[in-house]
Protein backbone atom coordinates (compact mmCIF):
# COMPACT_ATOMS: atom_id res chain seq x y z
CA UNK A 1 0.00 0.00 0.00
CA UNK A 2 1.43 3.33 -0.94
CA UNK A 3 0.36 6.81 -0.02
CA UNK A 4 0.04 9.31 -2.85
CA UNK A 5 2.90 11.85 -2.62
CA UNK A 6 0.49 14.78 -2.51
CA UNK A 7 -0.96 13.39 0.73
CA UNK A 8 2.51 13.17 2.23
CA UNK A 9 3.26 16.78 1.26
CA UNK A 10 -0.06 17.87 2.80
CA UNK A 11 0.67 15.97 6.00
CA UNK A 12 4.16 17.50 6.23
CA UNK A 13 2.58 20.93 5.66
CA UNK A 14 0.28 20.34 8.65
CA UNK A 15 3.25 19.22 10.77
CA UNK A 16 5.05 22.37 9.65
CA UNK A 17 2.14 24.50 10.86
CA UNK A 18 2.47 22.94 14.32
CA UNK A 19 6.23 23.55 14.33
CA UNK A 20 5.47 27.13 13.26
CA UNK A 21 3.16 27.46 16.24
CA UNK A 22 5.99 26.28 18.51
CA UNK A 23 8.39 28.64 16.74
CA UNK A 24 6.10 31.54 17.65
CA UNK A 25 6.52 30.63 21.31
CA UNK A 26 10.31 30.59 20.87
CA UNK A 27 10.23 33.96 19.07
CA UNK A 28 8.18 35.53 21.86
CA UNK A 29 10.14 34.12 24.78
CA UNK A 30 13.77 33.31 23.86
CA UNK A 31 14.91 36.93 23.35
CA UNK A 32 13.61 37.68 26.86
CA UNK A 33 15.31 34.62 28.34
CA UNK A 34 11.95 33.12 29.34
CA UNK A 35 11.25 29.37 29.36
CA UNK A 36 9.68 28.02 26.19
CA UNK A 37 7.94 25.25 28.18
CA UNK A 38 6.39 27.05 31.15
CA UNK A 39 3.98 28.67 31.58
CA UNK A 40 1.46 27.56 28.96
CA UNK A 41 0.66 29.90 26.08
CA UNK A 42 -1.30 32.88 27.28
CA UNK A 43 -2.46 36.24 26.01
CA UNK A 44 0.35 38.79 26.34
CA UNK A 45 -2.20 41.46 27.28
CA UNK A 46 -4.61 39.87 29.78
CA UNK A 47 -2.58 36.78 30.70
CA UNK A 48 -5.53 34.44 30.10
CA UNK A 49 -4.36 30.95 29.02
CA UNK A 50 -5.14 30.25 25.38
CA UNK A 51 -7.82 27.59 24.80
CA UNK A 52 -6.86 24.68 22.53
CA UNK A 53 -9.47 25.71 19.99
CA UNK A 54 -7.96 29.19 19.81
CA UNK A 55 -4.51 27.71 19.27
CA UNK A 56 -5.11 26.06 15.89
CA UNK A 57 -2.46 27.42 13.49
CA UNK A 58 -3.67 30.19 11.13
CA UNK A 59 -7.35 29.14 11.42
CA UNK A 60 -7.84 30.46 14.97
CA UNK A 61 -6.26 33.78 14.11
CA UNK A 62 -8.68 34.18 11.20
CA UNK A 63 -11.74 33.05 13.17
CA UNK A 64 -10.84 35.30 16.12
CA UNK A 65 -10.31 38.14 13.63
CA UNK A 66 -6.85 38.77 15.09
CA UNK A 67 -8.18 39.57 18.55
CA UNK A 68 -7.92 37.89 21.96
CA UNK A 69 -11.18 36.14 22.89
CA UNK A 70 -10.93 37.44 26.46
CA UNK A 71 -9.63 41.00 26.32
CA UNK A 72 -10.02 41.89 22.64
CA UNK A 73 -6.34 42.86 22.41
CA UNK A 74 -5.04 42.62 18.84
CA UNK A 75 -2.95 39.55 17.94
CA UNK A 76 -0.08 40.31 15.57
CA UNK A 77 -0.19 38.94 12.03
CA UNK A 78 3.29 37.64 12.83
CA UNK A 79 1.69 34.52 14.39
CA UNK A 80 -0.15 33.18 11.32
CA UNK A 81 2.68 34.42 9.05
CA UNK A 82 5.32 32.36 10.90
CA UNK A 83 3.03 29.32 10.99
CA UNK A 84 2.37 29.56 7.25
CA UNK A 85 6.06 30.13 6.49
CA UNK A 86 7.22 27.02 8.37
CA UNK A 87 4.35 24.95 6.93
CA UNK A 88 5.25 25.98 3.38
CA UNK A 89 8.96 25.47 3.97
CA UNK A 90 8.41 21.94 5.26
CA UNK A 91 6.10 21.19 2.33
CA UNK A 92 8.73 22.38 -0.15
CA UNK A 93 11.35 20.15 1.53
CA UNK A 94 9.04 17.11 1.42
CA UNK A 95 8.15 17.83 -2.18
CA UNK A 96 11.81 17.97 -3.06
CA UNK A 97 12.62 14.60 -1.48
CA UNK A 98 9.55 12.98 -3.03
CA UNK A 99 10.27 14.17 -6.53
CA UNK A 100 14.00 13.69 -6.43
CA UNK A 101 15.50 11.74 -9.30
CA UNK A 102 17.82 9.73 -7.06
CA UNK A 103 16.79 6.15 -6.58
CA UNK A 104 17.30 4.71 -3.15
CA UNK A 105 17.05 1.36 -1.46
CA UNK A 106 15.25 2.07 1.81
CA UNK A 107 12.20 4.14 2.83
CA UNK A 108 9.65 2.06 0.91
CA UNK A 109 7.20 4.94 1.05
CA UNK A 110 6.59 6.99 -1.97
CA UNK A 111 8.03 9.01 -4.71
CA UNK A 112 6.30 11.13 -7.28
CA UNK A 113 8.21 9.29 -9.95
CA UNK A 114 7.16 5.89 -8.73
CA UNK A 115 10.48 5.10 -7.10
CA UNK A 116 11.57 4.69 -3.53
CA UNK A 117 13.12 7.64 -1.73
CA UNK A 118 16.81 7.35 -0.97
CA UNK A 119 18.01 7.88 2.59
CA UNK A 120 20.28 10.59 1.25
CA UNK A 121 17.42 12.63 -0.19
CA UNK A 122 15.47 12.12 3.03
CA UNK A 123 18.38 13.36 5.16
CA UNK A 124 19.06 16.28 2.83
CA UNK A 125 15.39 17.30 3.00
CA UNK A 126 15.36 16.92 6.80
CA UNK A 127 18.45 19.14 7.11
CA UNK A 128 16.95 21.86 4.93
CA UNK A 129 13.70 21.66 6.90
CA UNK A 130 15.48 22.08 10.25
CA UNK A 131 17.67 24.88 8.91
CA UNK A 132 14.58 26.69 7.58
CA UNK A 133 12.81 26.42 10.94
CA UNK A 134 15.85 27.95 12.69
CA UNK A 135 16.39 30.66 10.06
CA UNK A 136 12.74 31.78 10.00
CA UNK A 137 12.87 32.06 13.79
CA UNK A 138 16.15 33.99 13.81
CA UNK A 139 14.95 36.28 11.02
CA UNK A 140 11.91 37.38 13.05
CA UNK A 141 13.77 37.53 16.38
CA UNK A 142 16.51 39.80 15.02
CA UNK A 143 13.93 41.99 13.29
CA UNK A 144 11.69 42.39 16.35
CA UNK A 145 14.06 42.11 19.29
CA UNK A 146 17.51 42.62 17.74
CA UNK A 147 18.59 39.34 19.21
CA UNK A 148 19.96 36.09 17.78
CA UNK A 149 19.79 33.66 20.73
CA UNK A 150 22.51 31.04 21.19
CA UNK A 151 19.70 28.54 21.77
CA UNK A 152 19.12 28.76 18.03
CA UNK A 153 22.51 29.65 16.51
CA UNK A 154 24.88 27.48 18.57
CA UNK A 155 22.44 24.60 19.04
CA UNK A 156 21.68 24.81 15.32
CA UNK A 157 25.39 24.63 14.44
CA UNK A 158 25.73 21.48 16.59
CA UNK A 159 22.64 19.84 15.04
CA UNK A 160 23.77 20.64 11.51
CA UNK A 161 27.24 19.28 12.15
CA UNK A 162 25.88 16.06 13.69
CA UNK A 163 23.64 15.49 10.67
CA UNK A 164 26.71 15.75 8.44
CA UNK A 165 27.94 12.55 10.12
CA UNK A 166 24.68 10.87 9.12
CA UNK A 167 25.21 12.11 5.57
CA UNK A 168 28.77 10.76 5.65
CA UNK A 169 27.43 7.36 6.73
CA UNK A 170 25.31 7.11 3.58
CA UNK A 171 28.07 7.95 1.13
CA UNK A 172 28.59 5.20 -1.41
CA UNK A 173 31.86 3.21 -1.18
CA UNK A 174 34.64 5.30 -2.64
CA UNK A 175 32.36 8.32 -3.12
CA UNK A 176 34.08 11.61 -2.35
CA UNK A 177 37.48 10.01 -1.83
CA UNK A 178 40.36 12.38 -2.33
CA UNK A 179 42.95 10.60 -4.43
CA UNK A 180 46.36 12.20 -4.39
CA UNK A 181 48.03 10.73 -7.39
CA UNK A 182 46.21 8.69 -9.98
CA UNK A 183 49.22 7.74 -12.10
CA UNK A 184 51.42 6.18 -9.41
CA UNK A 185 50.45 3.40 -7.07
CA UNK A 186 51.38 4.87 -3.74
CA UNK A 187 49.98 2.05 -1.59
CA UNK A 188 48.81 4.64 0.89
CA UNK A 189 45.39 4.19 2.32
CA UNK A 190 43.80 5.84 5.32
CA UNK A 191 42.02 3.69 7.93
CA UNK A 192 38.46 2.82 6.99
CA UNK A 193 39.03 3.45 3.33
CA UNK A 194 36.91 1.44 0.95
CA UNK A 195 39.57 1.59 -1.72
CA UNK A 196 42.09 -1.15 -1.21
CA UNK A 197 44.55 -0.32 -3.93
CA UNK A 198 45.96 2.77 -2.27
CA UNK A 199 46.41 6.36 -3.31
CA UNK A 200 43.43 7.46 -1.25
CA UNK A 201 44.51 10.44 0.85
CA UNK A 202 41.17 11.05 2.53
CA UNK A 203 38.07 8.88 2.32
CA UNK A 204 34.71 10.41 1.37
CA UNK A 205 33.40 10.59 4.96
CA UNK A 206 36.67 12.13 6.16
CA UNK A 207 36.58 14.70 3.38
CA UNK A 208 32.95 15.61 4.07
CA UNK A 209 33.41 16.00 7.82
CA UNK A 210 36.78 17.78 7.72
CA UNK A 211 35.64 20.17 5.01
CA UNK A 212 32.52 20.96 7.02
CA UNK A 213 34.63 21.79 10.09
CA UNK A 214 36.69 24.09 7.87
CA UNK A 215 33.46 25.59 6.47
CA UNK A 216 32.11 26.42 9.95
CA UNK A 217 35.43 27.93 11.06
CA UNK A 218 35.89 29.79 7.78
CA UNK A 219 32.39 31.28 7.76
CA UNK A 220 32.80 32.46 11.36
CA UNK A 221 36.25 33.87 10.61
CA UNK A 222 35.04 35.97 7.68
CA UNK A 223 32.48 37.79 9.81
CA UNK A 224 34.88 38.03 12.76
CA UNK A 225 37.36 39.81 10.47
CA UNK A 226 34.62 42.16 9.23
CA UNK A 227 33.64 42.81 12.84
CA UNK A 228 37.22 43.55 13.92
CA UNK A 229 37.79 45.72 10.87
CA UNK A 230 34.66 47.76 11.53
CA UNK A 231 35.59 48.17 15.18
CA UNK A 232 39.10 49.31 14.30
CA UNK A 233 37.79 51.90 11.82
CA UNK A 234 34.69 53.20 13.59
CA UNK A 235 35.69 52.54 17.22
CA UNK A 236 32.36 50.88 17.95
CA UNK A 237 30.65 47.54 17.44
CA UNK A 238 28.89 47.34 14.10
CA UNK A 239 28.03 43.68 14.11
CA UNK A 240 27.08 41.36 16.94
CA UNK A 241 28.62 37.97 17.60
CA UNK A 242 25.15 36.59 16.87
CA UNK A 243 25.67 37.31 13.17
CA UNK A 244 28.97 35.39 13.30
CA UNK A 245 27.30 32.35 14.90
CA UNK A 246 24.40 32.59 12.45
CA UNK A 247 26.66 32.32 9.41
CA UNK A 248 28.60 29.48 11.07
CA UNK A 249 25.26 27.67 11.50
CA UNK A 250 24.40 28.11 7.82
CA UNK A 251 27.84 26.71 6.94
CA UNK A 252 27.28 23.72 9.24
CA UNK A 253 24.12 22.76 7.37
CA UNK A 254 25.04 23.74 3.82
CA UNK A 255 28.82 24.03 3.46
CA UNK A 256 31.17 26.92 2.77
CA UNK A 257 30.17 28.01 -0.75
CA UNK A 258 26.48 28.05 0.19
CA UNK A 259 27.28 30.08 3.33
CA UNK A 260 29.19 32.60 1.20
CA UNK A 261 26.20 32.81 -1.15
CA UNK A 262 23.93 33.40 1.87
CA UNK A 263 26.23 36.19 3.09
CA UNK A 264 26.35 37.72 -0.38
CA UNK A 265 22.56 37.60 -0.83
CA UNK A 266 21.99 38.89 2.71
CA UNK A 267 24.35 41.86 2.30
CA UNK A 268 22.77 42.81 -1.04
CA UNK A 269 19.26 42.63 0.44
CA UNK A 270 20.35 44.67 3.47
CA UNK A 271 21.98 47.28 1.22
CA UNK A 272 18.88 47.64 -0.95
CA UNK A 273 16.75 47.99 2.16
CA UNK A 274 19.17 50.54 3.64
CA UNK A 275 19.19 52.62 0.46
CA UNK A 276 15.37 52.56 0.34
CA UNK A 277 15.26 53.78 3.95
CA UNK A 278 17.69 56.61 3.19
CA UNK A 279 15.72 57.60 0.07
CA UNK A 280 12.57 57.78 2.15
CA UNK A 281 14.54 59.78 4.75
CA UNK A 282 13.68 57.37 7.51
CA UNK A 283 17.19 56.98 8.89
CA UNK A 284 20.43 58.67 9.69
CA UNK A 285 23.83 57.11 9.00
CA UNK A 286 24.02 55.70 12.51
CA UNK A 287 20.78 53.71 12.33
CA UNK A 288 21.00 50.02 12.99
CA UNK A 289 19.98 47.48 10.40
CA UNK A 290 19.02 44.02 11.65
CA UNK A 291 21.77 42.34 9.63
CA UNK A 292 20.91 38.94 11.15
CA UNK A 293 17.45 39.05 9.58
CA UNK A 294 18.98 39.61 6.16
CA UNK A 295 21.62 36.91 6.71
CA UNK A 296 18.85 34.50 7.72
CA UNK A 297 16.89 35.42 4.59
CA UNK A 298 20.07 34.90 2.56
CA UNK A 299 20.42 31.49 4.21
CA UNK A 300 16.87 30.52 3.19
CA UNK A 301 17.62 31.67 -0.35
CA UNK A 302 20.87 29.68 -0.43
CA UNK A 303 19.25 26.57 1.06
CA UNK A 304 16.61 26.58 -1.68
CA UNK A 305 18.61 27.65 -4.72
CA UNK A 306 22.27 27.48 -3.62
CA UNK A 307 23.38 24.29 -5.40
CA UNK A 308 21.75 25.39 -8.66
CA UNK A 309 23.22 28.91 -8.54
CA UNK A 310 26.69 27.64 -7.59
CA UNK A 311 26.64 25.07 -10.40
CA UNK A 312 25.66 27.80 -12.86
CA UNK A 313 28.44 30.04 -11.52
CA UNK A 314 31.05 27.28 -11.88
CA UNK A 315 29.95 26.85 -15.50
CA UNK A 316 30.59 30.56 -16.07
CA UNK A 317 34.12 30.26 -14.72
CA UNK A 318 35.08 27.57 -17.18
ZN1 LIG B 1 -6.20 38.74 26.17
Amino acid sequence: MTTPPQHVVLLVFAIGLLFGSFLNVCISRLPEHRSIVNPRSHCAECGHPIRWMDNVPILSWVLLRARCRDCDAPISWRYPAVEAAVGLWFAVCANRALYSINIGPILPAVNGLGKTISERDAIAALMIAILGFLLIGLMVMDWQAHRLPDAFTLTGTAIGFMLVFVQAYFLAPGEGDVVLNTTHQLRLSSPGSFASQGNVFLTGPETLILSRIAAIAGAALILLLVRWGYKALRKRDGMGLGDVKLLAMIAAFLGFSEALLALFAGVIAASVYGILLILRRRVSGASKLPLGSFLAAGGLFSALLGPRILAWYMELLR
Side-chain angles (χ1 to χ4, degrees):
M1 196 188 89
T2 52
T3 324
Q6 304 92 306
H7 291 194
V8 177
V9 173
L10 215 62
L11 176 71
V12 172
F13 174 71
I15 294 171
L17 291 181
L18 295 177
F19 270 88
S21 191
F22 171 63
L23 186 58
N24 272 320
V25 177
C26 297
I27 290 170
S28 300
R29 299 187 185 183
L30 279 181
E32 298 171 16
H33 300 284
R34 287 189 292 147
S35 162
I36 51 173
V37 194
N38 285 308
R40 280 195 50 218
S41 293
H42 53 82
C43 168
E45 208 59 42
C46 67
H48 202 287
I50 294 169
R51 299 162 184 82
W52 66 267
M53 58 183 184
D54 293 341
N55 214 359
V56 181
I58 302 180
L59 203 64
S60 292
W61 186 82
V62 175
L63 291 178
L64 289 170
R65 291 176 202 190
R67 295 197 170 276
C68 170
R69 187 186 287 276
D70 297 294
C71 70
D72 230 27
I75 306 168
S76 165
W77 60 269
R78 185 258 281 174
Y79 289 88
V82 165
E83 285 157 358
V86 178
L88 284 176
W89 186 265
F90 277 24
V92 166
C93 291
N95 195 62
R96 202 180 249 203
L98 288 170
Y99 289 90
S100 162
I101 47 163
N102 292 329
I103 307 162
I106 297 192
L107 290 177
V110 266
N111 178 313
L113 305 167
K115 301 182 179 119
T116 51
I117 312 166
S118 74
E119 304 94 332
R120 301 169 60 160
D121 288 333
I123 294 158
L126 179 72
M127 287 180 81
I128 303 288
I130 295 172
L131 178 65
F133 173 87
L134 294 167
L135 287 178
I136 292 168
L138 288 164
M139 191 165 76
V140 180
M141 281 189 274
D142 200 35
W143 193 271
Q144 291 194 331
H146 298 285
R147 287 193 55 88
L148 296 164
D150 287 351
F152 266 45
T153 55
L154 289 187
T155 315
T157 307
I159 293 172
F161 186 55
M162 280 192 293
L163 286 169
V164 170
F165 282 79
V166 183
Q167 277 189 315
Y169 178 79
F170 286 111
L171 286 177
E175 186 183 0
D177 282 359
V178 175
V179 179
L180 272 188
N181 192 331
T182 48
T183 50
H184 298 277
Q185 287 292 315
L186 277 172
R187 290 272 156 211
L188 184 143
S189 179
S190 50
S193 165
F194 292 107
S196 55
Q197 69 271 38
N199 286 3
V200 173
F201 173 58
L202 286 172
T203 61
E206 287 167 345
T207 312
L208 181 60
I209 290 163
L210 289 177
S211 66
R212 202 50 66 90
I213 293 173
I216 296 169
L221 192 65
I222 288 175
L223 284 195
L224 276 178
L225 287 173
V226 173
R227 186 177 137 90
W228 288 329
Y230 188 90
K231 211 171 177 179
L233 286 174
R234 303 285 295 268
K235 310 283 180 230
R236 63 185 176 88
D237 274 331
M239 184 197 297
L241 278 176
D243 299 310
V244 176
K245 297 173 201 163
L246 169 57
L247 196 67
M249 181 186 91
I250 295 172
F253 277 92
L254 300 178
F256 188 68
S257 312
E258 281 82 354
L260 272 190
L261 179 66
L263 174 64
F264 190 65
V267 167
I268 288 180
S271 307
V272 169
Y273 180 75
I275 290 168
L276 284 178
L277 282 188
I278 291 168
L279 287 179
R280 292 164 74 188
R281 302 208 171 73
R282 298 278 285 274
V283 280
S284 64
S287 291
K288 261 189 139 180
L289 221 58
L291 181 66
S293 296
F294 291 100
L295 285 182
L300 291 171
F301 171 76
S302 186
L304 266 194
L305 302 171
R308 234 176 286 173
I309 292 173
L310 291 169
W312 166 79
Y313 184 68
M314 295 311 280
E315 268 311 299
L316 278 189
L317 289 184
R318 279 184 188 204

